[in-house]
Protein backbone atom coordinates (compact mmCIF):
# COMPACT_ATOMS: atom_id res chain seq x y z
CA UNK A 1 0.00 0.00 0.00
CA UNK A 2 1.25 3.47 -0.67
CA UNK A 3 0.33 6.51 1.39
CA UNK A 4 2.13 9.21 -0.62
CA UNK A 5 -0.73 11.66 -0.92
CA UNK A 6 -1.84 11.16 2.71
CA UNK A 7 1.76 11.83 3.83
CA UNK A 8 1.95 14.94 1.67
CA UNK A 9 -1.36 16.27 3.01
CA UNK A 10 -0.28 15.48 6.58
CA UNK A 11 2.87 17.55 6.17
CA UNK A 12 0.82 20.47 4.87
CA UNK A 13 -1.85 19.99 7.53
CA UNK A 14 0.68 19.93 10.38
CA UNK A 15 1.61 23.44 9.41
CA UNK A 16 -1.97 24.66 9.31
CA UNK A 17 -3.89 22.80 12.03
CA UNK A 18 -2.91 21.60 15.51
CA UNK A 19 -1.57 18.08 15.06
CA UNK A 20 -2.77 18.27 11.45
CA UNK A 21 -6.34 17.39 12.41
CA UNK A 22 -9.63 18.81 13.67
CA UNK A 23 -10.20 16.15 16.35
CA UNK A 24 -7.36 14.34 18.15
CA UNK A 25 -8.12 10.65 17.57
CA UNK A 26 -7.92 11.15 13.79
CA UNK A 27 -4.19 11.75 14.03
CA UNK A 28 -3.82 7.98 14.71
CA UNK A 29 -0.91 8.80 17.00
CA UNK A 30 -1.98 6.31 19.65
CA UNK A 31 -1.44 3.44 17.21
CA UNK A 32 1.89 4.84 16.12
CA UNK A 33 1.16 6.06 12.63
CA UNK A 34 0.24 9.13 10.61
CA UNK A 35 -3.38 9.98 9.77
CA UNK A 36 -5.08 8.56 6.71
CA UNK A 37 -6.92 11.14 4.63
CA UNK A 38 -10.21 9.68 3.40
CA UNK A 39 -11.56 10.84 0.06
CA UNK A 40 -14.86 8.98 -0.19
CA UNK A 41 -17.06 6.28 1.25
CA UNK A 42 -19.80 3.97 0.04
CA UNK A 43 -21.67 1.47 2.18
CA UNK A 44 -19.21 -0.10 4.62
CA UNK A 45 -16.13 0.96 2.66
CA UNK A 46 -13.97 4.08 2.49
CA UNK A 47 -11.27 5.01 0.00
CA UNK A 48 -8.31 7.19 0.93
CA UNK A 49 -6.64 9.87 -1.15
CA UNK A 50 -4.07 7.33 -2.41
CA UNK A 51 -6.81 5.02 -3.69
CA UNK A 52 -6.51 2.43 -0.90
CA UNK A 53 -9.83 0.87 0.05
CA UNK A 54 -10.82 -0.24 3.55
CA UNK A 55 -13.72 -1.92 5.28
CA UNK A 56 -14.60 0.86 7.70
CA UNK A 57 -15.41 0.20 11.38
CA UNK A 58 -15.15 3.86 12.41
CA UNK A 59 -18.26 4.95 10.51
CA UNK A 60 -17.68 8.55 11.58
CA UNK A 61 -17.66 7.31 15.23
CA UNK A 62 -21.27 6.25 15.19
CA UNK A 63 -23.53 8.52 13.13
CA UNK A 64 -23.41 6.36 9.99
CA UNK A 65 -25.60 3.50 11.14
CA UNK A 66 -26.80 3.15 7.52
CA UNK A 67 -23.25 3.22 6.13
CA UNK A 68 -21.53 5.81 3.93
CA UNK A 69 -23.30 7.82 1.25
CA UNK A 70 -26.62 6.11 1.81
CA UNK A 71 -28.71 7.09 -1.25
CA UNK A 72 -31.83 7.85 0.80
CA UNK A 73 -29.97 10.12 3.20
CA UNK A 74 -28.04 11.79 0.38
CA UNK A 75 -31.30 12.47 -1.48
CA UNK A 76 -32.94 13.91 1.64
CA UNK A 77 -29.97 16.23 2.19
CA UNK A 78 -29.91 17.30 -1.47
CA UNK A 79 -33.65 18.01 -1.46
CA UNK A 80 -33.34 20.04 1.74
CA UNK A 81 -30.34 21.95 0.39
CA UNK A 82 -32.26 22.84 -2.75
CA UNK A 83 -34.94 24.45 -0.57
CA UNK A 84 -32.40 26.49 1.40
CA UNK A 85 -29.70 25.44 3.87
CA UNK A 86 -30.68 27.45 6.90
CA UNK A 87 -33.33 29.97 7.85
CA UNK A 88 -32.85 30.68 11.51
CA UNK A 89 -36.61 30.36 11.88
CA UNK A 90 -38.83 27.53 13.02
CA UNK A 91 -39.25 24.79 10.39
CA UNK A 92 -41.57 21.84 9.84
CA UNK A 93 -38.81 19.22 9.92
CA UNK A 94 -37.84 20.08 13.50
CA UNK A 95 -41.32 19.26 14.70
CA UNK A 96 -41.26 15.94 12.84
CA UNK A 97 -37.85 15.01 14.25
CA UNK A 98 -38.85 15.93 17.80
CA UNK A 99 -41.88 13.66 17.35
CA UNK A 100 -39.72 10.79 16.05
CA UNK A 101 -37.36 11.14 19.02
CA UNK A 102 -40.17 11.23 21.56
CA UNK A 103 -41.77 8.19 19.93
CA UNK A 104 -38.55 6.22 20.57
CA UNK A 105 -37.69 7.53 24.04
CA UNK A 106 -40.70 7.48 26.38
CA UNK A 107 -38.63 9.49 28.90
CA UNK A 108 -38.20 12.31 26.37
CA UNK A 109 -41.43 14.29 26.49
CA UNK A 110 -39.78 17.41 25.10
CA UNK A 111 -36.53 17.93 23.26
CA UNK A 112 -34.16 20.78 22.29
CA UNK A 113 -31.91 20.35 19.25
CA UNK A 114 -28.29 21.52 19.30
CA UNK A 115 -25.28 20.97 17.05
CA UNK A 116 -22.95 18.58 18.87
CA UNK A 117 -22.93 16.08 21.69
CA UNK A 118 -20.68 18.41 23.65
CA UNK A 119 -23.22 21.19 23.42
CA UNK A 120 -26.01 18.79 24.38
CA UNK A 121 -24.32 17.55 27.59
CA UNK A 122 -23.25 21.07 28.50
CA UNK A 123 -26.82 22.31 28.14
CA UNK A 124 -28.35 19.31 29.91
CA UNK A 125 -26.08 19.97 32.90
CA UNK A 126 -27.05 23.63 33.00
CA UNK A 127 -30.67 22.57 33.08
CA UNK A 128 -30.01 19.93 35.76
CA UNK A 129 -28.29 22.54 37.91
CA UNK A 130 -31.09 25.03 37.44
CA UNK A 131 -33.76 22.44 38.20
CA UNK A 132 -32.12 21.13 41.37
CA UNK A 133 -30.51 24.32 42.63
CA UNK A 134 -27.31 22.30 43.07
CA UNK A 135 -23.97 22.65 41.33
CA UNK A 136 -22.01 19.46 41.65
CA UNK A 137 -22.24 16.42 39.36
CA UNK A 138 -21.11 12.82 39.57
CA UNK A 139 -19.53 11.19 36.52
CA UNK A 140 -17.67 7.96 35.82
CA UNK A 141 -13.99 7.57 35.10
CA UNK A 142 -13.46 6.74 31.44
CA UNK A 143 -16.87 8.05 30.38
CA UNK A 144 -16.72 10.75 27.72
CA UNK A 145 -19.38 13.40 27.43
CA UNK A 146 -17.73 15.77 24.97
CA UNK A 147 -15.18 18.40 25.92
CA UNK A 148 -17.35 20.28 28.41
CA UNK A 149 -15.06 21.95 30.99
CA UNK A 150 -16.68 20.42 34.04
CA UNK A 151 -16.71 16.96 32.50
CA UNK A 152 -13.05 17.06 31.49
CA UNK A 153 -12.24 15.98 35.03
CA UNK A 154 -10.07 13.08 36.08
CA UNK A 155 -10.34 11.06 39.22
CA UNK A 156 -8.20 12.18 42.14
CA UNK A 157 -7.30 9.59 44.77
CA UNK A 158 -9.81 7.80 46.98
CA UNK A 159 -13.18 6.29 46.23
CA UNK A 160 -15.49 9.28 45.99
CA UNK A 161 -13.12 11.83 44.62
CA UNK A 162 -13.33 15.45 43.72
CA UNK A 163 -12.24 15.82 40.11
CA UNK A 164 -9.02 17.43 39.00
CA UNK A 165 -8.69 19.14 35.59
CA UNK A 166 -8.03 16.62 32.80
CA UNK A 167 -6.70 19.38 30.57
CA UNK A 168 -4.90 22.68 30.97
CA UNK A 169 -7.42 25.47 30.58
CA UNK A 170 -10.12 23.71 32.59
CA UNK A 171 -10.80 25.90 35.64
CA UNK A 172 -10.01 24.03 38.85
CA UNK A 173 -13.39 25.09 40.21
CA UNK A 174 -15.18 23.38 37.30
CA UNK A 175 -13.28 20.11 37.77
CA UNK A 176 -13.81 20.26 41.52
CA UNK A 177 -17.56 20.52 41.01
CA UNK A 178 -17.37 17.06 39.43
CA UNK A 179 -16.94 13.87 41.44
CA UNK A 180 -15.37 11.08 39.41
CA UNK A 181 -16.10 7.50 40.40
CA UNK A 182 -15.19 4.13 38.87
CA UNK A 183 -17.77 2.77 36.43
CA UNK A 184 -19.67 -0.25 37.73
CA UNK A 185 -18.66 0.46 41.35
CA UNK A 186 -21.90 0.32 43.37
CA UNK A 187 -20.32 1.52 46.62
CA UNK A 188 -18.20 4.35 45.22
CA UNK A 189 -21.11 5.99 43.45
CA UNK A 190 -23.24 5.71 46.59
CA UNK A 191 -20.51 7.39 48.64
CA UNK A 192 -20.08 10.12 46.02
CA UNK A 193 -23.79 10.84 45.96
CA UNK A 194 -23.91 11.00 49.78
CA UNK A 195 -20.86 13.24 50.00
CA UNK A 196 -21.70 15.52 47.08
CA UNK A 197 -25.50 15.87 46.94
CA UNK A 198 -25.12 16.35 43.19
CA UNK A 199 -27.43 18.02 40.71
CA UNK A 200 -26.93 15.05 38.42
CA UNK A 201 -25.47 11.61 38.00
CA UNK A 202 -24.22 11.59 34.43
CA UNK A 203 -23.52 8.28 32.74
CA UNK A 204 -23.07 6.58 29.43
CA UNK A 205 -25.57 3.78 30.11
CA UNK A 206 -23.30 1.45 28.17
CA UNK A 207 -19.81 2.92 28.46
CA UNK A 208 -18.36 3.09 24.95
CA UNK A 209 -15.50 5.56 25.26
CA UNK A 210 -13.20 3.22 27.20
CA UNK A 211 -13.98 0.49 24.72
CA UNK A 212 -17.38 -1.12 25.23
CA UNK A 213 -18.00 -1.71 28.95
CA UNK A 214 -21.63 -2.60 29.66
CA UNK A 215 -23.12 -1.91 33.09
CA UNK A 216 -23.06 -4.74 35.60
CA UNK A 217 -26.42 -6.30 36.45
CA UNK A 218 -28.48 -3.79 38.39
CA UNK A 219 -26.01 -0.91 38.07
CA UNK A 220 -28.26 1.44 36.09
CA UNK A 221 -31.17 0.62 38.40
CA UNK A 222 -28.84 1.47 41.30
CA UNK A 223 -28.10 4.87 39.72
CA UNK A 224 -31.80 5.46 39.21
CA UNK A 225 -32.63 4.78 42.86
CA UNK A 226 -29.65 6.77 44.17
CA UNK A 227 -30.71 9.75 42.09
CA UNK A 228 -34.27 9.45 43.39
CA UNK A 229 -33.26 9.14 47.01
CA UNK A 230 -30.91 12.14 46.97
CA UNK A 231 -32.93 14.41 44.69
CA UNK A 232 -30.42 14.36 41.82
CA UNK A 233 -31.32 13.94 38.17
CA UNK A 234 -30.19 10.88 36.24
CA UNK A 235 -28.68 12.11 32.98
CA UNK A 236 -28.17 9.35 30.42
CA UNK A 237 -25.71 10.32 27.73
CA UNK A 238 -27.03 8.24 24.86
CA UNK A 239 -24.97 10.02 22.21
CA UNK A 240 -23.57 6.62 21.18
CA UNK A 241 -26.21 4.20 22.47
CA UNK A 242 -29.28 6.18 21.38
CA UNK A 243 -30.99 4.75 18.25
CA UNK A 244 -28.19 2.15 18.11
CA UNK A 245 -28.36 -0.49 20.84
CA UNK A 246 -32.15 -0.49 20.48
CA UNK A 247 -34.82 1.72 18.96
CA UNK A 248 -35.15 3.48 22.31
CA UNK A 249 -31.46 3.26 23.19
CA UNK A 250 -29.99 1.80 26.36
CA UNK A 251 -33.01 2.97 28.33
CA UNK A 252 -35.17 0.55 26.35
CA UNK A 253 -32.58 -2.23 26.58
CA UNK A 254 -32.28 -2.00 30.37
CA UNK A 255 -35.74 -0.68 31.23
CA UNK A 256 -34.35 2.38 33.01
CA UNK A 257 -35.85 5.84 32.64
CA UNK A 258 -33.59 8.90 32.63
CA UNK A 259 -34.66 12.36 33.78
CA UNK A 260 -32.62 13.92 31.00
CA UNK A 261 -31.31 12.17 27.88
CA UNK A 262 -28.48 13.42 25.73
CA UNK A 263 -28.48 12.38 22.06
CA UNK A 264 -26.12 12.93 19.15
CA UNK A 265 -24.34 10.97 16.42
CA UNK A 266 -27.13 8.81 14.82
CA UNK A 267 -29.75 11.53 15.40
CA UNK A 268 -27.99 13.72 12.79
CA UNK A 269 -27.53 10.95 10.22
CA UNK A 270 -23.95 12.08 9.54
CA UNK A 271 -24.58 15.83 9.72
CA UNK A 272 -23.93 17.93 12.81
CA UNK A 273 -26.93 17.55 15.08
CA UNK A 274 -27.53 16.56 18.68
CA UNK A 275 -30.27 17.03 21.23
CA UNK A 276 -31.19 16.89 24.87
CA UNK A 277 -34.59 16.08 26.23
CA UNK A 278 -36.55 14.69 29.12
CA UNK A 279 -39.50 15.26 31.37
CA UNK A 280 -41.80 18.06 30.34
CA UNK A 281 -41.53 20.09 33.53
CA UNK A 282 -37.74 20.05 33.23
CA UNK A 283 -37.60 21.08 29.57
CA UNK A 284 -40.13 23.81 30.17
CA UNK A 285 -37.40 25.53 32.19
CA UNK A 286 -35.48 26.08 28.90
CA UNK A 287 -35.79 29.48 27.17
CA UNK A 288 -38.06 30.82 25.82
CA UNK A 289 -40.54 28.62 27.74
CA UNK A 290 -38.50 29.13 30.89
CA UNK A 291 -35.54 30.94 32.37
CA UNK A 292 -32.60 28.65 31.54
CA UNK A 293 -30.83 30.25 28.60
CA UNK A 294 -29.63 28.18 25.66
CA UNK A 295 -29.67 29.03 21.95
CA UNK A 296 -28.03 28.20 18.61
CA UNK A 297 -27.84 29.88 15.20
CA UNK A 298 -27.78 26.55 13.34
CA UNK A 299 -29.73 24.46 15.86
CA UNK A 300 -32.32 22.28 14.12
CA UNK A 301 -30.55 22.96 10.84
CA UNK A 302 -32.76 21.81 7.93
CA UNK A 303 -30.05 19.65 6.30
CA UNK A 304 -29.18 17.92 9.56
CA UNK A 305 -32.83 17.43 10.42
CA UNK A 306 -33.47 15.92 6.96
CA UNK A 307 -30.52 13.54 7.35
CA UNK A 308 -31.62 12.59 10.86
CA UNK A 309 -35.21 11.93 9.80
CA UNK A 310 -34.12 9.90 6.77
CA UNK A 311 -31.89 7.82 9.04
CA UNK A 312 -34.29 7.25 11.94
CA UNK A 313 -37.14 6.25 9.62
CA UNK A 314 -35.07 3.39 8.24
CA UNK A 315 -34.35 1.97 11.68
CA UNK A 316 -37.24 -0.45 12.11
CA UNK A 317 -37.36 -3.74 14.02
CA UNK A 318 -35.81 -5.60 11.08
CA UNK A 319 -32.90 -3.12 11.00
CA UNK A 320 -32.16 -3.65 14.70
CA UNK A 321 -32.35 -7.42 14.25
CA UNK A 322 -29.79 -7.15 11.43
CA UNK A 323 -27.48 -4.92 13.44
CA UNK A 324 -27.72 -7.33 16.37
CA UNK A 325 -26.88 -10.31 14.17
CA UNK A 326 -24.00 -8.47 12.47
CA UNK A 327 -22.63 -7.47 15.87
CA UNK A 328 -22.71 -11.08 17.06
CA UNK A 329 -21.05 -12.31 13.89
CA UNK A 330 -18.27 -9.74 14.23
CA UNK A 331 -17.73 -10.30 17.97
CA UNK A 332 -17.68 -14.09 17.60
CA UNK A 333 -15.49 -13.85 14.50
CA UNK A 334 -12.93 -11.63 16.24
CA UNK A 335 -12.84 -13.95 19.27
CA UNK A 336 -12.37 -16.96 16.96
CA UNK A 337 -9.65 -15.08 15.05
CA UNK A 338 -7.79 -14.40 18.29
CA UNK A 339 -8.09 -18.07 19.29
CA UNK A 340 -6.87 -19.12 15.81
CA UNK A 341 -3.86 -16.90 16.23
CA UNK A 342 -3.10 -18.48 19.59
CA UNK A 343 -4.02 -15.20 21.29
CA UNK A 344 -7.16 -16.43 23.03
CA UNK A 345 -5.71 -15.66 26.46
CA UNK A 346 -4.51 -12.18 25.48
CA UNK A 347 -7.54 -10.81 23.66
CA UNK A 348 -11.16 -10.66 24.84
CA UNK A 349 -14.12 -9.26 22.94
CA UNK A 350 -16.84 -7.13 24.49
CA UNK A 351 -20.00 -6.08 22.70
CA UNK A 352 -23.41 -4.47 22.88
CA UNK A 353 -25.79 -4.26 19.90
CA UNK A 354 -24.01 -2.24 17.19
CA UNK A 355 -20.81 -1.91 19.25
CA UNK A 356 -17.76 -4.19 19.56
CA UNK A 357 -14.36 -3.85 21.21
CA UNK A 358 -11.54 -6.35 21.02
CA UNK A 359 -9.61 -5.68 24.23
CA UNK A 360 -5.98 -6.70 24.47
CA UNK A 361 -6.62 -8.18 27.91
CA UNK A 362 -7.51 -11.65 29.15
CA UNK A 363 -10.96 -10.53 30.32
CA UNK A 364 -13.22 -7.70 29.16
CA UNK A 365 -12.70 -4.69 31.48
CA UNK A 366 -15.42 -3.68 33.91
CA UNK A 367 -14.02 -0.21 34.49
CA UNK A 368 -11.54 2.33 33.15
CA UNK A 369 -8.64 1.17 35.32
CA UNK A 370 -8.92 -2.29 33.76
CA UNK A 371 -9.29 -0.85 30.25
CA UNK A 372 -6.17 1.21 30.78
CA UNK A 373 -4.34 -1.95 31.73
CA UNK A 374 -4.73 -3.38 28.21
CA UNK A 375 -1.67 -4.16 26.11
CA UNK A 376 -1.79 -0.90 24.14
CA UNK A 377 1.42 -1.54 22.17
CA UNK A 378 0.07 -4.79 20.78
CA UNK A 379 -3.26 -3.10 20.09
CA UNK A 380 -1.41 -0.43 18.07
CA UNK A 381 0.48 -3.06 16.06
CA UNK A 382 -2.80 -4.92 15.48
CA UNK A 383 -4.44 -1.78 14.06
CA UNK A 384 -1.51 -1.08 11.76
CA UNK A 385 -1.62 -4.67 10.47
CA UNK A 386 -5.37 -4.38 9.89
CA UNK A 387 -4.91 -1.18 7.87
CA UNK A 388 -2.31 -2.94 5.71
CA UNK A 389 -4.95 -5.60 5.03
CA UNK A 390 -7.64 -3.12 3.99
CA UNK A 391 -9.58 -2.91 7.24
CA UNK A 392 -9.94 0.34 9.19
CA UNK A 393 -10.53 -0.22 12.92
CA UNK A 394 -10.94 2.74 15.26
CA UNK A 395 -7.32 3.68 16.01
CA UNK A 396 -7.68 3.57 19.81
CA UNK A 397 -8.22 0.78 22.33
CA UNK A 398 -10.73 3.06 24.04
CA UNK A 399 -13.09 3.43 21.08
CA UNK A 400 -15.81 1.04 19.95
CA UNK A 401 -16.09 -0.50 16.51
CA UNK A 402 -19.34 0.76 14.99
CA UNK A 403 -21.50 -1.79 13.19
CA UNK A 404 -23.79 -0.43 10.46
CA UNK A 405 -26.53 -1.84 8.27
CA UNK A 406 -24.03 -1.69 5.41
CA UNK A 407 -21.75 -4.30 7.02
CA UNK A 408 -22.74 -7.54 5.29
CA UNK A 409 -21.53 -11.05 6.10
CA UNK A 410 -18.79 -10.86 3.48
CA UNK A 411 -17.27 -7.67 4.93
CA UNK A 412 -17.46 -9.10 8.45
CA UNK A 413 -15.84 -12.38 7.42
CA UNK A 414 -13.09 -10.56 5.52
CA UNK A 415 -12.49 -8.42 8.62
CA UNK A 416 -12.15 -11.53 10.78
CA UNK A 417 -9.74 -13.17 8.33
CA UNK A 418 -7.60 -10.03 8.40
CA UNK A 419 -7.88 -10.01 12.19
CA UNK A 420 -6.54 -13.57 12.53
CA UNK A 421 -3.44 -12.61 10.51
CA UNK A 422 -3.12 -9.29 12.34
CA UNK A 423 -3.37 -10.86 15.81
CA UNK A 424 -0.66 -13.31 14.77
CA UNK A 425 1.59 -10.52 13.49
CA UNK A 426 0.90 -8.15 16.41
CA UNK A 427 1.40 -10.68 19.20
CA UNK A 428 4.42 -12.47 17.78
C1 LIG B 1 -19.16 11.61 20.85
C2 LIG B 1 -19.71 11.74 22.22
C3 LIG B 1 -20.03 12.96 22.79
C4 LIG B 1 -19.65 14.26 22.15
O1 LIG B 1 -20.29 14.47 20.95
P1 LIG B 1 -19.64 15.54 19.91
O2 LIG B 1 -20.66 15.66 18.85
O3 LIG B 1 -18.35 14.93 19.47
O4 LIG B 1 -19.42 16.80 20.67
C5 LIG B 1 -20.69 12.99 24.00
N1 LIG B 1 -21.00 11.85 24.63
C6 LIG B 1 -20.69 10.64 24.14
C7 LIG B 1 -21.07 9.40 24.89
C8 LIG B 1 -20.01 10.54 22.93
O5 LIG B 1 -19.63 9.36 22.46
Amino acid sequence: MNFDRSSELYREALDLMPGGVNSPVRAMGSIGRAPIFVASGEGCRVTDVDGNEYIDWICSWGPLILGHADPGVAAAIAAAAARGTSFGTATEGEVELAGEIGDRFPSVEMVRMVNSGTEATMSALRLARAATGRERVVKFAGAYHGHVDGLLAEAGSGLATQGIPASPGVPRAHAEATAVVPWNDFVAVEQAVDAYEPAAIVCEPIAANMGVVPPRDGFLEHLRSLADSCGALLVCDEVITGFRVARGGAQELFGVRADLTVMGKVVGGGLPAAAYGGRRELLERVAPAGDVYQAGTLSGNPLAVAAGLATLRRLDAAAYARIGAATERLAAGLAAAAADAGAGSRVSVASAPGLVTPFFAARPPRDFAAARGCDLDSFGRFCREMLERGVMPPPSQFEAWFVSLAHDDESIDRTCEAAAESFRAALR
Side-chain angles (χ1 to χ4, degrees), residues 116-118 121 144-146 204 209 237 239-240 265:
S116 73
T118 297
T121 46
Y144 180 67
H145 304 291
E204 289 182 69
N209 282 288
D237 178 347
V239 169
I240 282 183
K265 297 194 168 118

Side-chain angles (χ1 to χ4, degrees), residues 63 97 101 112-120 239 243 262-276 298-309:
L97 184 55
I101 292 169
R112 168 57 62 83
M113 301 270 327
V114 294
N115 304 288
S116 73
T118 297
E119 198 186 344
V239 169
F243 317 103
V262 178
M263 293 154 271
K265 297 194 168 118
V266 171
V267 81
L271 266 67
Y276 63 103
L298 293 175
S299 292
N301 172 262
L303 270 57
V305 165
L309 278 172

Side-chain angles (χ1 to χ4, degrees), residues 25 61 208-212 356-357 394-402:
V25 73
W61 305 101
N209 282 288
M210 47 178 128
V212 179
V356 175
T357 302
S396 163
Q397 177 70 90
F398 306 118
E399 304 282 359
W401 296 32
F402 290 95

Side-chain angles (χ1 to χ4, degrees), residues 1 31 33 378-391 393 418-419 421-428:
M1 263 180 174
I31 63 160
R33 61 156 297 139
S378 297
F379 176 82
R381 278 198 297 281
F382 169 74
C383 286
R384 299 198 301 272
E385 295 286 344
M386 290 292 271
L387 287 167
E388 288 293 330
R389 289 170 176 78
V391 180
E421 294 171 17
S422 299
F423 283 131
R424 215 170 273 123
L427 294 167
R428 226 189 343 248

Side-chain angles (χ1 to χ4, degrees), residues 79-345:
R83 292 191 296 266
T85 56
S86 180
F87 308 107
T89 68
T91 61
E92 186 174 350
E94 296 168 291
V95 184
E96 285 175 39
L97 184 55
E100 294 282 348
I101 292 169
D103 187 51
R104 286 161 177 76
F105 282 85
S107 71
V108 178
E109 293 168 348
M110 294 183 94
V111 68
R112 168 57 62 83
M113 301 270 327
V114 294
N115 304 288
S116 73
T118 297
E119 198 186 344
T121 46
M122 185 185 80
S123 309
L125 285 190
R126 180 178 304 145
L127 177 55
R129 286 172 164 140
T132 58
R134 300 175 178 181
E135 294 210 339
R136 299 191 281 198
V137 301
V138 170
K139 82 170 282 273
F140 296 94
Y144 180 67
H145 304 291
H147 60 93
V148 181
D149 272 343
L151 296 175
L152 279 185
E154 292 181 335
S157 52
L159 266 187
T161 56
Q162 206 170 30
I164 54 174
S167 163
V170 170
R172 181 158 297 276
H174 290 208
E176 284 176 356
T178 306
V180 184
V181 295
W183 177 235
N184 276 328
D185 187 329
F186 285 70
V187 175
V189 66
E190 199 166 326
Q191 289 180 348
V193 165
D194 280 349
Y196 265 68
E197 295 204 333
I201 303 171
V202 186
C203 70
E204 289 182 69
I206 297 171
N209 282 288
M210 47 178 128
V212 179
V213 185
R216 289 170 67 178
D217 282 349
F219 192 65
L220 296 179
E221 293 84 343
H222 183 57
L223 301 185
R224 180 66 271 173
S225 76
L226 283 176
D228 288 340
S229 62
C230 90
L233 301 185
L234 179 61
V235 179
C236 283
D237 178 347
E238 297 232 33
V239 169
I240 282 183
T241 52
F243 317 103
R244 171 171 290 278
V245 299
R247 189 168 179 275
Q251 291 176 62
E252 177 185 319
L253 209 57
F254 293 104
V256 170
R257 209 176 160 104
D259 297 301
L260 292 175
T261 299
V262 178
M263 293 154 271
K265 297 194 168 118
V266 171
V267 81
L271 266 67
Y276 63 103
R279 293 207 317 268
R280 181 174 309 283
E281 80 265 23
L282 291 172
L283 269 287
E284 283 190 334
R285 285 293 300 269
V286 177
D291 55 352
V292 178
Y293 192 70
Q294 189 269 307
T297 302
L298 293 175
S299 292
N301 172 262
L303 270 57
V305 165
L309 278 172
T311 298
L312 294 190
R313 286 175 175 160
R314 290 265 292 287
L315 296 172
D316 55 8
Y320 286 107
R322 268 184 60 196
I323 286 173
T327 304
E328 278 170 32
R329 191 182 186 95
L330 175 65
L334 289 174
D340 262 14
S345 63

